[in-house]
Amino acid sequence: MMTVQRLLFLFGVCLPFIALASSESYKSVELPGVEIPVYEQQCSSFEIYQENFALGMCRFPDRDTDKNYGWRFVIFEQQDSVWKEKFMSSGFMDAYSVDPYFFSPQNVEPEKHTDWLLILESAAEYPWGIDVYTLPSDDAKPVKLGEIPIITASEDDGDSLIPYLDVSHNSGHLEISVGIDTVFLSEKITETYPAGSVKYVEKQGKLVMERIKP
């Protein structure tokens, strides 16, 4: 029979590995591009994130409405050597630009990764926040987790938020924090958050802001 001391010893040895397994850091990844000539006038660069699937940022003025217009991200699927639209997001309205960034687990090679985290940063004269999606590998539609309406609090208003993001999965939940002072933007308030003082946690499929206790 195993003694209590032996059990405690084994638990102490295994604990770091348990913690490691339950926490996984993510990194931003550059993906290969592809040309889709039939859409080159409506879309910017296309990136292949999975075999036979590519994402492009596009504008279709003929599809715009008063409440749904501007840049959109579009998922294209290659079928019999022909690229076809599979999914089109809602418009990003008055944004001058929308830049997509793909995140994957730190210790997984991009070509072996399947489920992507897609973060899109919108900007006019300066960035004004990010939208967060997951791109499932099972041929399902992208899932929007939420919006994070914060910008860097640096003197240079043009600073992107992306280099300062700390993205991870902890105990099965996505967490996003920022390693720089930020400004929260909304119609009602504008508030400055010191670096590392807030994080956005996935709860029931949506991102929720939480304060980080010092």
Side-chain angles (χ1 to χ4, degrees):
M1 182 177 295
M2 191 173 293
T3 64
V4 174
Q5 290 84 354
R6 180 63 175 169
L7 285 171
L8 291 174
F9 171 76
L10 291 174
F11 180 76
V13 170
C14 295
L15 186 58
F17 297 97
I18 295 172
L20 183 62
S22 63
S23 180
E24 188 173 41
S25 296
Y26 273 54
K27 61 184 176 182
S28 178
V29 176
E30 291 188 12
L31 298 177
V34 65
E35 294 184 0
I36 306 180
V38 70
Y39 286 98
E40 64 183 8
Q41 293 187 354
Q42 298 98 335
C43 307
S44 60
S45 60
F46 304 92
E47 295 175 279
I48 297 178
Y49 65 90
Q50 187 176 318
E51 185 177 5
N52 296 324
F53 287 90
L55 181 144
M57 296 305 307
C58 307
R59 300 191 72 145
F60 300 105
D62 58 324
R63 307 184 194 184
D64 287 346
T65 67
D66 292 341
K67 297 182 179 180
N68 185 5
Y69 59 88
W71 286 103
R72 310 165 187 268
F73 77 85
V74 181
I75 301 296
F76 297 90
E77 182 179 8
Q78 190 177 39
Q79 301 175 358
D80 299 324
S81 301
V82 177
W83 289 97
K84 299 180 179 180
E85 291 179 40
K86 180 176 178 62
F87 171 85
M88 182 173 65
S89 73
S90 299
F92 283 79
M93 311 297 273
D94 297 321
Y96 292 175
S97 65
V98 182
D99 295 321
Y101 298 89
F102 293 83
F103 283 75
S104 71
Q106 189 78 34
N107 298 318
V108 178
E109 295 297 325
E111 60 270 17
K112 296 180 180 179
H113 186 54
T114 52
D115 292 334
W116 290 94
L117 185 69
L118 173 65
I119 296 181
L120 302 113
E121 185 170 48
S122 304
E125 289 84 2
Y126 54 85
W128 64 34
I130 60 177
D131 292 67
V132 183
Y133 287 78
T134 57
L135 297 179
S137 61
D138 58 0
D139 205 24
K141 292 181 179 180
V143 177
K144 186 173 183 178
L145 299 179
E147 303 171 4
I148 301 181
I150 58 176
I151 61 173
T152 63
S154 66
E155 295 181 359
D156 184 359
D157 288 337
D159 276 358
S160 169
L161 195 68
I162 302 301
Y164 306 104
L165 294 182
D166 182 4
V167 182
S168 63
H169 256 102
N170 291 313
S171 300
H173 297 283
L174 178 70
E175 291 189 7
I176 300 176
S177 58
V178 186
I180 192 175
D181 293 352
T182 55
V183 177
F184 175 82
L185 303 174
S186 76
E187 295 180 355
K188 297 182 179 180
I189 63 169
T190 298
E191 185 176 357
T192 300
Y193 298 138
S197 63
V198 297
K199 62 181 178 181
Y200 287 79
V201 181
E202 178 189 358
K203 293 184 176 181
Q204 298 181 339
K206 296 296 180 182
L207 290 176
V208 178
M209 188 187 76
E210 293 185 356
R211 303 274 184 172
I212 299 177
K213 297 180 180 180

